[in-house]
Amino acid sequence: MAPQLDSFFKQVDSNTDVFIERLRKAVAIPSISAEDARRPDVVRMGHFLADELKALGAEVELRPLGKQPHKEHLDLPPVVLGRYGNDKNKRTILVYGHYDVQPAEKSDGWATEPFELTVDDKGRMFGRGSTDDKGPVLGWLNAIEAHQKAGVDFPVNLLMCFEGMEEYGSEGLDDLIKEEAKKFFADADAVCISDNYWLGTEKPCLTYGLRGCNYYSIEVSGPGADLHSGVFGGQAHEPMTDLVAVMGSLVDSKGNILIPGISEQVAPVTADEEKLYESIAFTMENLHESLGSTTTIHEETKPTLMARWRYPSLSLHGIEGAFSAPGAKTVIPAKVVGKFSIRTVPDMDIETTNKVVYKYVEEQFAKLGSKNSMKVYAQHTGKWWVASPKHWNFSAAAKAVERVWGVEPDFTREGGSIPVTLTFEEATGKNVLLLPMGSSTDGAHSINEKLDKRNYIEGIKLLGAYLHYVAEEPQN
Ligand SMILES: C[C@H](N)C(=O)N[C@@H](Cc1c[nH]cn1)C(=O)O
Ligand SMILES: [Zn+2]
Ligand SMILES: [Zn+2]
């Protein structure tokens, strides 16, 4: 394998500019799944990927998913299904990624235009989606191209499933995965997802767990229209005052969730699990660097990692309808929608969690004695996932990490969520591996999201090397 991988690696290095150009084109498409007006851009991004794949010789289908639930005027973006290679003597690996991105505006505080890939002198490639998840998705395409240019036989058959709604709860994808498990995905021997991050900036990891995510809205309304606070203040119940009181009762500033019935569902920590945290390469400095501050709740790494992987958390995200522009508008908003989410862990149940959340929010609102109306509902939900890393899929990836990065990877869990991971595992019955490309300082979902050139280029080598080791790894 050594000379083959060396030729592949050489091609990756000499095609650096081509691969960065491909990322530049992808970042330039503002494929924001959460914004209705950007839906044509999300669709455009799906077509861009499909065209790039076709040009590389892959068989590609754009699968429509129908209308978006609760937004029937919007078509869901298509799922890009691809196949590269169909050799019965090779293993088949199914890879998943997403081509949609989080919202981004320069005015949010970006130093550069979010949809223009900007490479600085430290090799940091700034742009929305660079690390989450356009860089890793293009990593698979780049690995194919470097094999072709190196004249190295592609070691596996590759099935690809790239969606455009991951950042909005993967609407519509669960059903497609279940339907295709015994059709398009039938040959898959294992699944690999590159859509998370290292714990720090130097040590690669393989990931075997994710938290789930239940995302909620609380709508409070009363007045027929926005009001003048001088003319009407003190006379009408104000939706924003009610909402802030309810939202303020969900979590305290130490991160404790105040809703009864949440912590009761969390599985107890075992003695074996306790030991795992000791060997992970992670420092508080890593956290300070990726946080961009030292404002941590915990002072030590173990409770910090447990808070990220092992316990639920509740975050307040924003208020739709609230005055948020600079200046001093004296308005009483007539209707406001508060958004919060709970990251869930074993053994939390989606429905039980919804039930206790609705009950608690309704009780808190009732306590206010307000004449306004309140509605609470889940926008989307997705279950947590924890798998066994004792599988050839993981051992092949560990060898690839050692070959490319020269170190043994850490085995980690992830605080974020990729809702369809569990669906892939259950529907195909195959092992799922998370193989991250980006690092802890990439700022996914934040301003100034970036992917380091080094992580992109070595990451392409990693994805390709993983496929070579997969081809050779003995069955468990
Ligand atoms: C880890 C992955 N790259 C990611 O960012 N996932 C999102 C998925 C999500 C869940 N609800 C909305 N989006 C995340 O963890 O926030
Ligand atoms: Zn994301
Ligand atoms: Zn992602």
Side-chain angles (χ1 to χ4, degrees), residues 218-270:
I218 306 176
E219 272 182 33
V220 184
S221 56
D226 288 1
L227 301 171
H228 187 304
S229 66
V231 177
F232 297 104
Q235 301 143 73
H237 288 289
E238 297 194 14
M240 185 80 155
T241 311
D242 293 348
L243 180 66
V244 168
V246 174
M247 288 183 81
S249 73
L250 299 172
V251 63
D252 70 18
S253 51
K254 289 266 164 59
N256 299 304
I257 300 177
L258 305 175
I259 305 170
I262 299 286
S263 59
E264 290 80 348
Q265 297 180 63
V266 177
V269 179
T270 64

Coordinates of all heavy atoms in Angstrom, one line a residue, residues 218-270:
I218 N -41.0 29.2 21.7 CA -42.1 29.7 22.6 C -42.6 30.9 21.9 O -41.9 31.9 21.8 CB -41.6 30.0 24.0 CG1 -40.8 28.9 24.6 CG2 -42.7 30.5 24.9 CD1 -40.2 29.2 26.0
E219 N -43.9 30.9 21.6 CA -44.5 32.1 20.9 C -45.4 32.8 21.9 O -46.3 32.2 22.5 CB -45.5 31.6 19.8 CG -44.9 31.4 18.5 CD -45.9 31.0 17.4 OE1 -47.1 31.5 17.5 OE2 -45.5 30.2 16.5
V220 N -45.2 34.1 22.1 CA -46.0 34.9 23.0 C -46.6 36.1 22.2 O -45.8 36.8 21.5 CB -45.3 35.4 24.3 CG1 -46.2 36.2 25.2 CG2 -44.6 34.3 25.0
S221 N -47.9 36.2 22.2 CA -48.5 37.3 21.5 C -49.7 37.9 22.3 O -50.2 37.3 23.2 CB -49.0 36.9 20.1 OG -49.9 35.8 20.3
G222 N -50.0 39.2 22.0 CA -51.1 39.9 22.7 C -51.6 41.0 21.9 O -52.6 40.8 21.1
P223 N -50.9 42.2 21.9 CA -51.4 43.4 21.1 C -51.6 43.0 19.6 O -50.9 42.1 19.1 CB -50.3 44.4 21.3 CG -49.5 43.9 22.5 CD -49.6 42.5 22.5
G224 N -52.5 43.8 19.0 CA -52.8 43.5 17.6 C -51.6 44.0 16.7 O -51.5 43.5 15.5
A225 N -50.8 44.9 17.2 CA -49.6 45.4 16.4 C -48.6 45.9 17.3 O -48.8 46.0 18.5 CB -50.1 46.5 15.5
D226 N -47.4 46.1 16.8 CA -46.3 46.7 17.6 C -46.8 48.0 18.1 O -47.4 48.8 17.4 CB -45.0 46.9 16.8 CG -44.3 45.6 16.5 OD1 -44.9 44.5 16.9 OD2 -43.3 45.6 15.8
L227 N -46.4 48.4 19.4 CA -47.0 49.6 20.0 C -45.9 50.6 20.4 O -44.7 50.2 20.7 CB -47.8 49.2 21.3 CG -48.9 48.2 21.1 CD1 -49.4 47.7 22.5 CD2 -50.1 48.8 20.3
H228 N -46.3 51.8 20.6 CA -45.5 52.9 21.1 C -45.4 52.7 22.7 O -46.4 52.6 23.3 CB -46.2 54.2 20.8 CG -45.4 55.4 21.2 ND1 -44.9 55.7 22.4 CD2 -45.0 56.5 20.4 CE1 -44.2 56.8 22.4 NE2 -44.3 57.3 21.2
S229 N -44.1 52.5 23.2 CA -44.0 52.2 24.6 C -44.4 53.3 25.5 O -44.7 53.2 26.7 CB -42.6 51.7 24.9 OG -41.7 52.7 24.7
G230 N -44.3 54.6 25.0 CA -44.7 55.7 25.8 C -46.2 55.8 25.9 O -46.7 56.0 27.0
V231 N -46.9 55.5 24.8 CA -48.3 55.7 24.8 C -49.0 54.5 25.5 O -50.0 54.6 26.3 CB -48.9 55.8 23.3 CG1 -50.4 55.8 23.3 CG2 -48.3 57.0 22.7
F232 N -48.4 53.3 25.3 CA -49.1 52.1 25.9 C -48.4 51.4 27.0 O -48.9 50.4 27.6 CB -49.3 51.0 24.7 CG -50.2 51.6 23.6 CD1 -49.7 52.0 22.4 CD2 -51.6 51.7 23.9 CE1 -50.5 52.5 21.4 CE2 -52.4 52.2 22.9 CZ -51.9 52.6 21.7
G233 N -47.1 51.8 27.3 CA -46.3 51.1 28.3 C -47.0 51.2 29.7 O -47.6 52.2 30.0
G234 N -47.1 50.1 30.4 CA -47.7 50.1 31.7 C -49.2 49.8 31.7 O -49.9 49.7 32.7
Q235 N -49.7 49.7 30.4 CA -51.2 49.4 30.3 C -51.5 48.1 29.7 O -52.6 47.6 30.0 CB -51.8 50.5 29.5 CG -51.6 51.9 30.0 CD -51.3 52.9 28.9 OE1 -52.3 53.3 28.2 NE2 -50.1 53.3 28.7
A236 N -50.6 47.6 28.9 CA -50.9 46.2 28.3 C -49.8 45.2 28.8 O -48.7 45.6 29.0 CB -50.8 46.4 26.8
H237 N -50.2 44.0 28.9 CA -49.2 42.9 29.1 C -48.3 42.8 27.9 O -48.8 42.8 26.8 CB -49.9 41.6 29.3 CG -50.7 41.4 30.6 ND1 -50.1 41.3 31.8 CD2 -52.0 41.4 30.9 CE1 -51.0 41.2 32.8 NE2 -52.2 41.3 32.2
E238 N -47.0 42.9 28.2 CA -46.0 42.9 27.1 C -45.5 41.5 26.8 O -44.9 40.9 27.7 CB -44.9 43.9 27.4 CG -45.4 45.3 27.6 CD -44.3 46.3 27.6 OE1 -43.1 46.0 27.2 OE2 -44.6 47.5 28.0
P239 N -45.7 41.0 25.5 CA -45.2 39.7 25.2 C -43.7 39.5 25.5 O -43.3 38.4 26.0 CB -45.5 39.6 23.7 CG -46.6 40.5 23.5 CD -46.4 41.7 24.5
M240 N -42.9 40.5 25.2 CA -41.5 40.3 25.4 C -41.1 40.1 26.9 O -40.3 39.3 27.3 CB -40.8 41.6 24.9 CG -39.3 41.5 25.0 SD -38.7 40.6 23.5 CE -37.1 41.3 23.4
T241 N -41.8 40.8 27.8 CA -41.6 40.7 29.3 C -42.0 39.3 29.7 O -41.2 38.6 30.5 CB -42.5 41.7 30.0 OG1 -42.3 43.0 29.4 CG2 -42.1 41.8 31.5
D242 N -43.1 38.8 29.2 CA -43.5 37.4 29.5 C -42.5 36.4 29.0 O -42.1 35.5 29.7 CB -44.9 37.1 28.9 CG -46.0 37.9 29.5 OD1 -45.7 38.6 30.5 OD2 -47.1 37.9 29.0
L243 N -42.1 36.6 27.8 CA -41.2 35.6 27.1 C -39.8 35.6 27.9 O -39.3 34.5 28.2 CB -41.0 35.9 25.7 CG -40.0 35.0 24.9 CD1 -40.6 33.6 24.8 CD2 -39.7 35.5 23.6
V244 N -39.3 36.8 28.2 CA -38.0 36.8 28.9 C -38.1 36.1 30.2 O -37.2 35.4 30.7 CB -37.5 38.3 29.0 CG1 -36.3 38.4 29.9 CG2 -37.2 38.8 27.6
A245 N -39.3 36.3 30.9 CA -39.4 35.7 32.2 C -39.4 34.1 32.1 O -38.8 33.4 32.8 CB -40.7 36.1 32.9
V246 N -40.2 33.7 31.1 CA -40.2 32.2 30.9 C -38.9 31.7 30.4 O -38.4 30.7 31.0 CB -41.3 31.8 29.8 CG1 -41.3 30.3 29.5 CG2 -42.7 32.2 30.3
M247 N -38.2 32.4 29.5 CA -36.9 31.9 29.0 C -35.9 31.9 30.2 O -35.0 31.0 30.3 CB -36.4 32.7 27.8 CG -37.3 32.3 26.6 SD -36.7 33.1 25.1 CE -35.3 32.1 24.5
G248 N -36.0 32.9 31.0 CA -35.1 33.0 32.1 C -35.3 32.0 33.2 O -34.4 31.8 34.1
S249 N -36.3 31.2 33.1 CA -36.6 30.2 34.1 C -36.1 28.8 33.6 O -36.3 27.8 34.3 CB -38.1 30.1 34.4 OG -38.8 29.5 33.3
L250 N -35.5 28.7 32.4 CA -35.2 27.4 31.9 C -33.9 26.9 32.3 O -33.7 25.6 32.5 CB -35.2 27.5 30.3 CG -36.5 27.9 29.7 CD1 -36.3 28.1 28.2 CD2 -37.6 26.8 29.9
V251 N -32.9 27.8 32.5 CA -31.5 27.3 32.8 C -30.9 28.4 33.7 O -31.2 29.6 33.6 CB -30.8 27.2 31.5 CG1 -30.6 28.4 30.7 CG2 -29.4 26.5 31.6
D252 N -30.0 28.0 34.6 CA -29.3 29.1 35.3 C -27.9 29.4 34.7 O -27.5 28.7 33.8 CB -29.2 28.7 36.8 CG -28.2 27.6 37.1 OD1 -27.4 27.3 36.3 OD2 -28.3 27.0 38.2
S253 N -27.2 30.4 35.3 CA -26.0 30.8 34.6 C -24.8 29.8 34.8 O -23.8 30.0 34.2 CB -25.6 32.2 35.0 OG -25.6 32.3 36.4
K254 N -25.0 28.8 35.6 CA -24.0 27.7 35.8 C -24.3 26.6 34.8 O -23.8 25.5 34.8 CB -24.0 27.1 37.2 CG -23.5 28.1 38.2 CD -22.0 27.8 38.4 CE -21.2 28.9 39.1 NZ -21.6 29.2 40.4
G255 N -25.4 26.8 33.9 CA -25.7 25.7 33.0 C -26.7 24.7 33.5 O -27.0 23.7 32.8
N256 N -27.1 24.8 34.7 CA -28.1 23.8 35.3 C -29.4 24.0 34.6 O -30.0 25.1 34.6 CB -28.2 24.0 36.8 CG -26.9 23.7 37.5 OD1 -26.3 22.7 37.3 ND2 -26.5 24.7 38.3
I257 N -30.0 22.9 34.1 CA -31.3 22.9 33.5 C -32.3 22.9 34.6 O -32.3 22.0 35.5 CB -31.5 21.7 32.5 CG1 -30.4 21.8 31.4 CG2 -32.9 21.7 31.9 CD1 -30.4 20.7 30.4
L258 N -33.3 23.8 34.6 CA -34.2 24.0 35.8 C -35.5 23.2 35.5 O -36.4 23.3 36.3 CB -34.4 25.5 36.0 CG -33.1 26.3 36.3 CD1 -33.5 27.8 36.4 CD2 -32.4 25.8 37.5
I259 N -35.6 22.5 34.4 CA -36.9 21.8 34.1 C -36.9 20.4 34.8 O -36.0 19.6 34.5 CB -37.0 21.6 32.6 CG1 -36.8 23.0 31.9 CG2 -38.3 20.9 32.2 CD1 -36.7 22.9 30.3
P260 N -37.8 20.2 35.7 CA -37.8 18.9 36.3 C -38.1 17.8 35.3 O -38.8 18.0 34.3 CB -39.0 19.0 37.3 CG -39.3 20.4 37.4 CD -38.9 21.1 36.2
G261 N -37.4 16.6 35.4 CA -37.7 15.5 34.5 C -36.6 15.4 33.4 O -36.7 14.5 32.6
I262 N -35.7 16.3 33.4 CA -34.6 16.2 32.4 C -33.4 15.4 33.0 O -33.1 14.3 32.5 CB -34.1 17.6 31.9 CG1 -35.2 18.4 31.3 CG2 -32.9 17.4 31.0 CD1 -35.6 18.0 29.9
S263 N -32.8 15.9 34.1 CA -31.7 15.2 34.6 C -32.0 13.8 35.1 O -31.2 12.8 35.1 CB -31.0 16.0 35.7 OG -31.9 16.1 36.8
E264 N -33.3 13.5 35.5 CA -33.7 12.2 35.9 C -33.6 11.2 34.8 O -33.5 10.0 35.1 CB -35.2 12.3 36.3 CG -35.5 13.0 37.6 CD -35.5 14.6 37.4 OE1 -35.1 15.1 36.4 OE2 -36.0 15.2 38.4
Q265 N -33.5 11.6 33.5 CA -33.5 10.6 32.4 C -32.0 10.2 32.1 O -31.8 9.3 31.3 CB -34.1 11.2 31.2 CG -35.6 11.6 31.2 CD -36.0 12.1 29.9 OE1 -35.9 11.5 28.8 NE2 -36.4 13.4 29.9
V266 N -31.1 11.0 32.7 CA -29.7 10.7 32.2 C -29.1 9.5 32.8 O -29.2 9.2 34.0 CB -28.8 12.0 32.6 CG1 -27.3 11.8 32.3 CG2 -29.4 13.2 31.9
A267 N -28.5 8.6 32.0 CA -27.9 7.4 32.5 C -26.7 7.6 33.4 O -26.0 8.6 33.2 CB -27.3 6.6 31.3
P268 N -26.6 6.8 34.5 CA -25.5 7.1 35.5 C -24.2 6.8 34.8 O -24.0 6.0 33.9 CB -25.8 6.0 36.6 CG -26.9 5.1 36.1 CD -27.5 5.7 34.9
V269 N -23.2 7.6 35.3 CA -21.8 7.4 34.8 C -21.2 6.1 35.4 O -21.3 5.9 36.6 CB -21.0 8.6 35.2 CG1 -19.5 8.5 34.7 CG2 -21.6 9.9 34.6
T270 N -20.6 5.3 34.6 CA -20.0 4.0 35.1 C -18.5 4.3 35.4 O -17.9 5.2 34.9 CB -20.1 2.9 34.0 OG1 -19.3 3.3 32.9 CG2 -21.5 2.7 33.5

